[in-house]
Amino acid sequence: MSSNSLSYNDQGGMAVEHASEAGQETTPTTGSGSGFGLFRTDYKKDDDLKEMLESNKDSLKLEAMKRIVGLIAKGKNSSDLFPAVVKNVASKNIELKKLVYVYLVRYAEEQQDLALLSISTFQRALKDPNQLIRASALRVLSSIRVPIIVPIMMLAIKEAASDLSPYVRKTAAHAIQKLYSLDPDQKEHLIEVIEKLLKDKSTLVAGSVVMAFEEVCPDRIDLIHKNYRKLCNLLVDVEEWGQVVIINMLTRYARTQFLSPWREDKLFIEDNEKTFYESDEDNKAKSAQIVKAYVMDPDHQLLLRNTKPLLQSRNTAVVMAVAQLYWHLAPKADVGIISKSLVRLLRSHREVQYIVLQNIATISIQRKGMFEPYLKSFYVRSTDATHIKILKLEILTNLANEANISTILREFQTYVKSQDKVFAAATIQAIGRCATNITEVTDTCLNGLVLLLSNGNETVVAESVVVIKNLLQTQSTQHGDIIKHMAKLLDNITVPMARASILWLIGEYCERVLKIAPDVLRKMAKTFTSEEEIVKLQILNLAAKLYLTNSKQTKLLTQYILNLAKYDQNYDIRDRTRFIRQLIVPNEKSGALSKYAKKIFLAPKPAPVLESPFKDRDRFQLGTLSHTLNTKASGYLELSQWPEVAPDPSMRNVEVIEPVNQWKPQLGKVKTTKPAHSFYSDGDEEDEEEAASGSEESSSEDSSSADSGSEDEAEEDKSSSGSKGSDSTSSSSEGSDSESESNKKKKTKKKTTGNESGKQSALHKTDSSTSEESSSGSQSESEAQVDSDSGTDQNHQKPKSKMKEVKELIKKPEISLLDLDDFAPPPSSSPIVMPKPAVLSPTLIMDLEGLSLSSTSIAIDVTSPVYVPAKPHELLHRMSGKGLSAQYHFPRQPCIYNSKMVSVQVTLSNEADQKIEGIHIGGKKLPTGLQIYEFNRIESLEPGSSITVSMGIDFNDSTQSANFQLCTKSDQFSVFIQPTVGELLLPVTMSEQDFKVQQGKLTGMNENTTSITLEPKNSSGQPAVHKIVNVANLGLVPSGLDNIHRFAAKTVNAGTLVLVTLELKESLTADLIVNTEKTAIGSMLLREIKTALSQA
């Protein structure tokens, strides 16, 4: 790896930070003379620096090194100063030595001979007390790319891998890759070092060693087994570029170790019970069809759960890495959560946009529904670069369906007028693809493309001709007029591909344009010699086809054209001419093929398939260089197929260490005599797993929290650069993480009395001291779980469940802050910090047990709507419905069919002269998660009469449209119902105090705020309230202030609380706040209310 670039391997180094500091100080402060010395270009430019470096004063040397590093930062060549700089490598001044090492890392590879002279100094520096010097010495040593020092480098790396400083161990991991590129024969020795470093608990080392693993031995999956759970738990605290490397490695690992979550046989066949009268033989045949249910491996769940919070990372590479991990590993139902994060990245630089859009284009081919809610995010902006515009165009085309095609085509009409010719041509191709994929708009697109033929832009006209040609192949019998119109334009079109396409169309369908085709051939014969080669070939084809179908008018013309082509300069045209002459003009030399000439030239040809250029890119892993280039790049590692049978998951287990067994007899004995201790250990254990904080200082300073701190192994590992826990304790924690989820369900609690609480307090102190002696204030989560399980009494279930409810109520607001897209990860992966000792002390437990949960719960009840808009929405126009018209509106009442459905009333009217029979709902094309409860079939509807029916739609708390067919006895009409975000809510009532409590829980990412300039009519309270309840189905909350109005509702499907606050201010301004865990609903609701209040 080249050392003269700021690579990933050196970004984390403190020495680079000092280098950057030195680079900032390049502006001289000693006077104009030194400034002149820095920038002058004569041959003596380095003399003053050499004199300063050879001085006896460290201050002058330090100033010289700062100026030299400044030159390097500006890209200037300072290699001539290498001898003078290397003399100072043994300086006792730490700051000077740091800068010398920065210089040597840059030029050691170029000046290898001089660097070798100081190799003994580098070896001594490996023993330096300062960790920065040790790391810098190793970095310089690994930058001297001379095979003779490979043994010295190998020894230095092995020693650095055991260094007490995690920064030095990180540098050792970087040196592994450099040594491997220098001498691949050292692979086996380097693998031993990698195996050792993989066991490191420091987050600083994790990313670097995984990078070394990927470079040296990516196929050694067995090295990852024991470290898999630890890497998953450390992931959230690893530096960003380390996260990218680890996520990509774990993606490949998971594809080899877990079963596919996409398997079609992951559900039971429903009717698999043996009936009473069923014979044994029938039962055997039937049981062969029963498929084993799919259960996701806990380690698979652990990976998905711990990577999900990283979708909110500020680093685009991390978000992209998590997105590709979910795409390749997650169940199809869970993949949708990445769409919002990918759309967020589109606000970044154009380079980031390009990569993200390419990946979205690939995803949107297979999963259109993921990005349909964000359709407007892919609209082209005038400031976008051409390659960004074309990618957005590609995505819009992939997302097009019957429901949104009208919107997309309106957008395309604007794009066609763009001054960017390449983009305009790509838009026409996109229109052609939409017309091919959606048959309902084929005629509309075709007519629009015909209108473009009169456009002044030659590129637009040419591309339109090519696309029309492809479309006409699918419906040639219906569009003879279009072919005639295109034939008339032949004189004005000069683009060769367009002219060739028109000639091909006329020749292919010459029997439908008998009068025009010979005249076109006559004109082409005049200009034959000046045409492009592709046009000449089509003229020959046209002549041959007309000779076979209309030889009376075109025989002489064909012979004339064949004679011209016979002497053409292009050999392809000459060959085609000889072939056609022998085939269509019968003579003695004609072969057996001449009688089949008509079948050969006029054979029916299949219509071309217009496919996305991203259709086959899913064979590459998303986010990789190979995916971007659409070809396999050097170093690309293919994702393996899912295994048919999952490998043994016990390979990832880590053995529990011995001290755990020493606790069991003592703890079991205490529990038999003092049942209160069972409550203490379980209560603290569950509390700590929920909090997942693991602060080392709190566990060592407060004796009451010493035992509680023992279970936070995940967080302890993440801060292990300052941790003093033993290696054996940490290793046991790695294997127990996935087991902790099942253990949580088995924990029990017991009621305590006043006397028992005193005994328990004394026992607590004893446990604290024991915990400190065994693990210096920190033990693994698995130890505590074994302890609690060994003494658990299964007869005490009711107290446990009661106290568990109380504690979940206490902790609920903490978890909601990390609740991405509304599913809460298990608490063990949540990095929330809670104050441990004061949450669940024994006395507080006793007090809480006497309380009723009803006294602390908040009363939230669904209420009747404040306002119901009477304006209906058109579902089916009478012209489109052949006399049947339909309108729908939302009554804003709870649905009687299903509590998770939105109630919809549809009014059907017969505006025809005859009665309409058999009105019902036919086929449905619903996005994932949407459901429809159909209205009953209407047998007949008399002319002039109307009927209103009710139906229920589960929109799954999204504004996606429900597409279905409204059918009669003889016809089918494609319709869709799309709700506004305000119709996805049910109004609720609560007190002002409860409102403030709930609002306090929904802050941070769950809060959307904006300032509004009000329309004068909406500046007072009553009109503003009316506007808001008109936009959304919200309930009013009492307010003690006249200028503050509060509204509350919950989502229909998930029941998620939505709180709206409007604070009116002076000068026609107001603040609007929306609080909800459904961030998408919150942002859309904020936007709609803002629009309503700012308009008349």
Side-chain angles (χ1 to χ4, degrees):
M1 181 178 295
S2 177
S3 62
N4 60 356
S5 62
L6 186 60
S7 64
Y8 157 73
N9 291 340
D10 293 328
Q11 283 188 7
M14 297 182 184
V16 175
E17 294 176 4
H18 288 288
S20 63
E21 291 173 6
Q24 293 171 1
E25 298 178 19
T26 54
T27 303
T29 58
T30 59
S32 60
S34 62
F36 179 73
L38 178 62
F39 294 106
R40 64 190 181 186
T41 57
D42 61 317
Y43 70 96
K44 294 183 179 180
K45 64 179 179 179
D46 294 332
D47 287 352
D48 57 338
L49 292 176
K50 291 180 181 177
E51 291 176 3
M52 294 171 70
L53 289 171
E54 293 172 357
S55 171
N56 294 327
K57 295 182 180 180
D58 284 347
S59 59
L60 288 176
K61 292 181 179 179
L62 193 60
E63 178 65 24
M65 285 308 305
K66 288 180 179 179
R67 289 169 57 183
I68 292 171
V69 173
L71 290 171
I72 295 173
K74 291 183 177 182
K76 304 292 180 64
N77 183 13
S78 302
S79 59
D80 294 341
L81 295 169
F82 194 91
V85 172
V86 80
K87 291 178 183 178
N88 295 284
V89 74
S91 173
K92 295 182 180 180
N93 187 309
I94 298 297
E95 295 301 318
L96 177 59
K97 187 178 284 189
K98 289 178 186 175
L99 293 178
V100 169
Y101 277 124
V102 170
Y103 178 90
L104 293 177
V105 168
R106 169 65 180 82
Y107 288 110
E109 188 171 350
E110 298 179 13
Q111 304 281 346
Q112 295 177 355
D113 295 338
L114 290 174
L116 284 173
L117 296 176
S118 303
I119 198 165
S120 59
T121 308
F122 302 146
Q123 288 180 285
R124 284 197 303 272
L126 292 172
K127 306 292 184 182
D128 195 280
N130 190 313
Q131 62 173 351
L132 296 180
I133 301 301
R134 297 200 301 274
S136 299
L138 180 59
R139 188 179 292 116
V140 173
L141 197 60
S142 60
S143 300
I144 304 174
R145 304 183 62 79
V146 179
I148 195 173
I149 66 166
V150 166
I152 299 175
M153 290 173 60
M154 190 72 241
L155 184 62
I157 290 173
K158 287 184 177 180
E159 291 180 357
S162 305
D163 197 282
L164 293 177
S165 168
Y167 178 61
V168 178
R169 301 198 297 271
K170 175 189 180 74
T171 308
H174 294 165
I176 289 174
Q177 305 167 58
K178 297 181 181 180
L179 179 55
Y180 179 70
S181 64
L182 179 62
D183 185 7
D185 295 336
Q186 300 293 324
K187 181 175 180 179
E188 293 303 321
H189 299 292
L190 292 175
I191 290 176
E192 294 176 5
V193 181
I194 291 173
E195 186 175 9
K196 181 178 182 179
L197 289 175
L198 279 171
K199 298 175 182 177
D200 200 300
K201 304 186 296 296
S202 172
T203 56
L204 197 62
V205 180
S208 302
V209 67
V210 171
M211 186 66 190
F213 170 83
E214 291 283 80
E215 289 287 332
V216 178
C217 53
D219 55 336
R220 287 291 303 273
I221 296 295
D222 56 293
L223 299 179
I224 305 299
H225 291 320
K226 298 293 184 184
N227 302 291
Y228 171 81
R229 292 167 187 162
K230 182 195 70 176
L231 289 173
C232 289
N233 290 324
L234 292 182
L235 192 56
V236 73
D237 280 342
V238 176
E239 47 94 19
E240 292 172 337
W241 295 109
Q243 289 174 343
V244 175
V245 175
I246 294 175
I247 290 172
N248 287 328
M249 185 275 292
L250 291 178
T251 303
R252 292 194 303 108
Y253 177 86
R255 285 293 287 258
T256 63
Q257 301 300 311
F258 306 129
L259 295 178
S260 170
W262 315 326
R263 288 166 46 159
E264 298 177 357
D265 56 356
K266 63 183 178 181
L267 297 177
F268 280 114
I269 296 176
E270 292 183 1
D271 187 17
N272 59 3
E273 295 183 1
K274 180 180 177 181
T275 56
F276 184 77
Y277 295 103
E278 194 175 38
S279 66
D280 290 338
E281 295 180 359
D282 294 340
N283 186 51
K284 289 179 181 178
K286 191 173 182 181
S287 63
Q289 300 177 357
I290 299 175
V291 184
K292 185 178 180 181
Y294 169 77
V295 178
M296 183 178 286
D297 191 294
D299 289 330
H300 194 170
Q301 292 177 336
L302 176 69
L303 176 59
L304 296 176
R305 185 172 66 243
N306 286 7
T307 52
K308 186 177 183 184
L310 297 180
L311 285 171
Q312 291 185 321
S313 174
R314 64 183 180 178
N315 188 304
T316 53
V318 175
V319 178
M320 194 64 244
V322 178
Q324 66 85 20
L325 181 140
Y326 263 77
W327 176 251
H328 292 296
L329 300 182
K332 292 184 178 179
D334 296 340
V335 176
I337 64 172
I338 68 174
S339 55
K340 182 178 179 181
S341 300
L342 291 177
V343 170
R344 174 173 64 87
L345 299 184
L346 297 181
R347 302 170 187 167
S348 188
H349 307 293
R350 63 172 60 178
E351 294 82 8
V352 174
Q353 289 183 43
Y354 179 71
I355 298 298
V356 173
L357 286 170
Q358 279 201 325
N359 288 279
I360 292 177
T362 300
I363 295 173
S364 62
I365 293 175
Q366 299 183 25
R367 300 289 299 276
K368 291 186 178 182
M370 281 177 56
F371 294 98
E372 280 184 16
Y374 309 101
L375 190 67
K376 292 184 179 179
S377 300
F378 305 109
Y379 286 176
V380 174
R381 300 177 181 178
S382 58
T383 55
D384 288 337
T386 301
H387 60 281
I388 301 294
K389 291 179 181 178
I390 293 175
L391 280 173
K392 286 186 174 181
L393 200 64
E394 174 67 27
I395 295 171
L396 287 174
T397 308
N398 291 341
L399 297 181
N401 55 36
E402 293 86 347
N404 58 27
I405 185 61
S406 58
T407 305
I408 291 176
L409 286 179
R410 280 198 301 272
E411 195 72 15
F412 285 174
Q413 288 176 5
T414 307
Y415 300 163
V416 169
K417 301 173 185 176
S418 172
Q419 297 299 316
D420 188 340
K421 294 183 178 181
V422 176
F423 174 55
T427 303
I428 295 172
Q429 293 177 4
I431 294 173
R433 278 180 52 199
C434 289
T436 304
N437 298 335
I438 305 171
T439 55
E440 289 83 351
V441 296
T442 302
D443 292 342
T444 306
C445 294
L446 201 51
N447 293 334
L449 290 172
V450 171
L451 293 176
L452 290 177
L453 294 177
S454 57
N455 193 293
N457 190 329
E458 191 175 275
T459 306
V460 172
V461 175
E463 200 64 43
S464 300
V465 169
V466 176
V467 174
I468 289 173
K469 173 206 136 187
N470 294 334
L471 291 178
L472 287 182
Q473 284 187 257
T474 61
Q475 300 181 353
S476 57
T477 57
Q478 306 173 15
H479 301 290
D481 294 337
I482 295 177
I483 299 175
K484 293 177 183 178
H485 180 67
M486 294 173 69
K488 294 176 183 178
L489 294 173
L490 194 59
D491 294 337
N492 300 325
I493 296 175
T494 58
V495 177
M497 179 56 75
R499 293 174 66 84
S501 297
I502 295 175
L503 292 173
W504 185 91
L505 273 175
I506 295 172
E508 186 67 17
Y509 307 111
C510 57
E511 295 178 351
R512 298 188 180 89
V513 285
L514 291 174
K515 295 181 180 179
I516 295 178
D519 198 47
V520 171
L521 184 63
R522 178 182 60 81
K523 289 183 177 181
M524 290 296 100
K526 291 181 179 180
T527 61
F528 182 86
T529 55
S530 60
E531 297 287 353
E532 294 290 332
E533 294 164 5
I534 187 173
V535 181
K536 289 180 180 178
L537 290 174
Q538 293 304 326
I539 294 174
L540 288 172
N541 287 345
L542 175 62
K545 292 174 182 177
L546 289 178
Y547 183 88
L548 294 172
T549 57
N550 189 6
S551 59
K552 290 183 180 179
Q553 288 183 285
T554 59
K555 184 176 181 180
L556 295 176
L557 268 176
T558 302
Q559 290 178 353
Y560 174 72
I561 291 172
L562 291 176
N563 288 333
L564 285 175
K566 182 179 179 181
Y567 302 102
D568 196 89
Q569 293 181 353
N570 187 283
Y571 59 84
D572 284 335
I573 296 173
R574 296 196 301 271
D575 286 348
R576 178 71 62 87
T577 302
R578 285 192 289 270
F579 167 71
I580 290 176
R581 187 186 296 274
Q582 292 298 321
L583 201 59
I584 65 173
V585 182
N587 54 39
E588 297 178 356
K589 298 180 180 180
S590 295
L593 281 178
S594 59
K595 53 185 170 182
Y596 301 109
K598 199 166 187 177
K599 290 184 178 180
I600 292 173
F601 279 100
L602 300 176
K605 300 173 182 62
V609 180
L610 301 178
E611 294 181 341
S612 168
F614 289 85
K615 183 180 179 183
D616 297 328
R617 289 205 186 189
D618 56 353
R619 69 183 187 274
F620 297 114
Q621 185 176 352
L622 291 186
T624 59
L625 177 63
S626 298
H627 178 269
T628 302
L629 300 177
N630 197 24
T631 185
K632 188 172 181 179
S634 175
Y636 173 72
L637 299 174
E638 293 186 0
L639 282 179
S640 60
Q641 297 296 323
W642 295 98
E644 292 295 329
V645 179
D648 185 9
S650 63
M651 293 186 298
R652 292 182 288 277
N653 293 343
V654 179
E655 295 180 3
V656 179
I657 60 172
E658 194 63 29
V660 176
N661 297 329
Q662 295 175 4
W663 280 51
K664 284 186 178 180
Q666 180 186 357
L667 194 58
K669 182 178 179 182
V670 172
K671 287 187 179 179
T672 56
T673 58
K674 299 177 181 180
H677 182 257
S678 173
F679 162 72
Y680 169 73
S681 64
D682 286 341
D684 241 17
E685 182 178 1
E686 183 168 339
D687 180 58
E688 291 310 305
E689 287 176 359
E690 291 290 326
S693 61
S695 172
E696 184 180 38
E697 289 77 17
S698 65
S699 64
S700 60
E701 291 173 5
D702 193 339
S703 62
S704 64
S705 65
D707 188 56
S708 65
S710 67
E711 296 169 13
D712 288 314
E713 54 86 25
E715 293 300 313
E716 192 76 17
D717 283 346
K718 293 168 190 172
S719 60
S720 64
S721 59
S723 173
K724 298 178 182 179
S726 63
D727 292 342
S728 59
T729 303
S730 300
S731 65
S732 69
S733 68
E734 299 160 11
S736 63
D737 184 82
S738 65
E739 300 168 8
S740 62
E741 297 177 27
S742 60
N743 289 341
K744 289 176 188 175
K745 302 175 183 178
K746 303 176 182 177
K747 299 191 174 96
T748 62
K749 292 187 174 65
K750 299 183 180 182
K751 294 187 177 179
T752 62
T753 62
N755 295 332
E756 289 170 339
S757 65
K759 298 177 182 178
Q760 181 172 313
S761 178
L763 182 59
H764 177 203
K765 295 178 180 178
T766 303
D767 292 344
S768 300
S769 62
T770 306
S771 175
E772 290 175 356
E773 292 171 4
S774 63
S775 62
S776 301
S778 173
Q779 280 195 336
S780 70
E781 183 179 338
S782 62
E783 292 178 18
Q785 289 172 353
V786 173
D787 297 342
S788 62
D789 289 345
S790 65
T792 297
D793 188 353
Q794 299 179 358
N795 297 327
H796 297 79
Q797 296 295 329
K798 294 182 180 178
K800 178 202 75 169
S801 60
K802 183 175 181 181
M803 290 315 305
K804 194 169 185 178
E805 292 174 0
V806 174
K807 290 161 84 174
E808 286 175 355
L809 185 63
I810 292 171
K811 298 187 180 86
K812 189 173 181 181
E814 304 293 335
I815 296 172
S816 64
L817 288 177
L818 281 181
D819 189 6
L820 304 177
D821 292 339
D822 312 314
F823 88 79
S828 61
S829 66
S830 175
I832 305 293
V833 177
M834 292 178 60
K836 302 178 200 173
V839 175
L840 287 175
S841 64
T843 55
L844 179 58
I845 296 297
M846 293 173 58
D847 294 338
L848 289 174
E849 284 194 337
L851 297 177
S852 170
L853 288 178
S854 61
S855 64
T856 60
S857 61
I858 295 175
I860 301 175
D861 300 319
V862 177
T863 183
S864 57
V866 178
Y867 176 76
V868 180
K871 181 181 178 181
H873 307 276
E874 186 175 77
L875 182 64
L876 180 65
H877 192 270
R878 61 184 180 84
M879 298 297 291
S880 303
K882 299 181 179 180
L884 175 65
S885 67
Q887 294 180 325
Y888 69 93
H889 78 283
F890 299 95
R892 293 188 172 181
Q893 297 288 346
C895 183
I896 59 175
Y897 308 117
N898 190 324
S899 60
K900 293 187 176 184
M901 289 185 171
V902 176
S903 182
V904 182
Q905 290 188 352
V906 181
T907 302
L908 302 166
S909 302
N910 184 358
E911 302 184 25
D913 298 332
Q914 300 177 348
K915 70 178 181 178
I916 300 176
E917 298 180 342
I919 303 174
H920 64 283
I921 291 179
K924 296 183 280 290
K925 295 182 179 179
L926 302 177
T928 305
L930 267 65
Q931 296 179 356
I932 291 182
Y933 186 92
E934 305 174 8
F935 59 80
N936 293 329
R937 180 187 179 93
I938 301 172
E939 295 301 332
S940 64
L941 189 62
E942 298 296 328
S945 61
S946 300
I947 187 172
T948 300
V949 293
S950 296
M951 58 189 297
I953 303 177
D954 181 0
F955 289 103
N956 198 19
D957 290 345
S958 71
T959 55
Q960 296 183 83
S961 59
N963 306 306
F964 58 91
Q965 288 186 331
L966 188 62
C967 304
T968 63
K969 189 175 181 179
S970 57
D971 293 297
Q972 296 178 347
F973 310 104
S974 295
V975 297
F976 66 91
I977 295 177
Q978 185 169 19
T980 59
V981 68
E983 304 300 340
L984 302 175
L985 308 175
L986 284 176
V988 298
T989 178
M990 63 173 67
S991 66
E992 184 178 9
Q993 184 63 29
D994 291 343
F995 184 96
K996 292 180 179 179
V997 171
Q998 293 297 323
Q999 191 178 37
K1001 300 175 182 179
L1002 297 171
T1003 56
M1005 296 185 61
N1006 297 323
E1007 183 174 271
N1008 295 275
T1009 61
T1010 187
S1011 296
I1012 306 173
T1013 301
L1014 297 172
E1015 177 70 19
K1017 294 180 181 179
N1018 301 331
S1019 59
S1020 58
Q1022 194 63 29
V1025 170
H1026 179 74
K1027 282 281 188 181
I1028 291 177
V1029 297
N1030 185 24
V1031 169
N1033 190 15
L1034 299 168
L1036 295 176
V1037 176
S1039 176
L1041 299 174
D1042 294 336
N1043 66 322
I1044 297 180
H1045 303 278
R1046 296 185 173 92
F1047 310 85
K1050 68 175 185 178
T1051 59
V1052 176
N1053 181 282
T1056 305
L1057 208 57
V1058 180
L1059 307 177
V1060 180
T1061 306
L1062 178 69
E1063 183 177 355
L1064 301 175
K1065 296 186 175 182
E1066 298 178 355
S1067 65
L1068 297 179
T1069 60
D1071 289 339
L1072 180 63
I1073 305 173
V1074 178
N1075 301 86
T1076 179
E1077 293 178 3
K1078 295 271 189 179
T1079 53
I1081 286 181
S1083 60
M1084 287 191 290
L1085 185 60
L1086 184 84
R1087 186 165 60 248
E1088 292 192 9
I1089 294 177
K1090 180 180 179 180
T1091 303
L1093 292 176
S1094 58
Q1095 295 178 354

